[in-house]
Amino acid sequence: MEGLHWVQHRWRQLLGRHSGRGWTSAPAGPPEKTSQEAHGSPQAVSRKRRTVFARNGPHPQEYEATSRGYMGNAIRSSKYTLLTFIPMNLFQQFHRAANLYFLFLVLLNWVPVVEAFQKEITMIPLLVVLTVIGIKDALEDFRCYLFDKKVNNNVVRVFCG
């Protein structure tokens, strides 16, 4: 039932009925009509209120207490960190059928009865492919990191009051 409300909410946004509200998440329950909406007024009045504490405002203690429970608003679109690059990249690369095939050949060549070539020679194609794809993924992720850093360090204007 909750999914139906989300679909209705998105459909209304696409049709422009609530264009002033922007692309927000769907309400938790069914949409409530205010007295103005019930009488045909086009403006919707929000019943929910929120308290916003400015970081450098008159209430720094309240800001610190409230902001601890929330995530920051920094953008992070990179997939990896320095610690997780090798394990996550190998995990993603071995989801490809060709890499699994080469890994199977390498493991099969370690069995003495089935050994066709030297063990080191069968590892070369797999290592080359893993290295090239790993370098490509590292460069792409580094570019994402630099772009995120640029976006997060943009100077913005904040209007108060």
Side-chain angles (χ1 to χ4, degrees):
M1 192 67 168
E2 189 174 301
L4 180 63
H5 292 297
W6 180 83
V7 170
Q8 289 174 344
H9 177 75
R10 290 291 186 188
W11 185 250
R12 286 186 192 124
Q13 282 182 337
L14 290 173
L15 291 177
R17 183 172 167 207
H18 295 292
S19 62
R21 293 175 67 183
W23 290 93
T24 58
S25 59
E32 299 176 11
K33 288 190 174 183
T34 61
S35 61
Q36 287 181 353
E37 278 184 314
H39 297 297
S41 174
Q43 292 181 341
V45 178
S46 176
R47 290 186 177 185
K48 291 185 179 180
R49 294 184 181 236
R50 63 184 185 143
T51 305
V52 177
F53 295 107
R55 175 179 283 195
N56 298 324
H59 307 286
Q61 292 84 12
E62 288 88 350
Y63 170 79
E64 291 296 326
T66 306
S67 64
R68 281 191 197 128
Y70 296 98
M71 294 291 294
N73 63 349
I75 294 173
R76 181 176 179 263
S77 61
S78 57
K79 289 193 259 184
Y80 309 109
T81 63
L82 289 175
L83 295 176
T84 62
F85 175 74
I86 292 176
M88 286 181 62
N89 189 272
L90 288 175
F91 179 76
Q92 288 180 356
Q93 286 191 41
F94 282 115
H95 273 81
R96 298 180 181 133
N99 292 345
L100 284 175
Y101 172 75
F102 282 116
L103 180 66
F104 176 72
L105 289 179
V106 168
L107 294 176
L108 193 61
N109 202 32
W110 282 85
V111 177
V113 176
V114 188
E115 182 179 352
F117 303 105
Q118 292 180 353
K119 297 172 185 162
E120 295 80 18
I121 292 177
T122 56
M123 285 193 280
I124 291 175
L126 180 64
L127 290 176
V128 168
V129 168
L130 293 178
T131 304
V132 168
I133 295 174
I135 290 171
K136 178 192 68 89
D137 288 345
L139 290 174
E140 285 178 2
D141 204 54
F142 185 68
R143 286 187 191 122
C144 286
Y145 168 76
L146 291 178
F147 182 73
D148 293 344
K149 192 174 176 181
K150 179 181 173 184
V151 169
N152 289 331
N153 290 327
N154 278 344
V155 177
V156 296
R157 292 174 129 186
V158 177
F159 295 101
C160 298

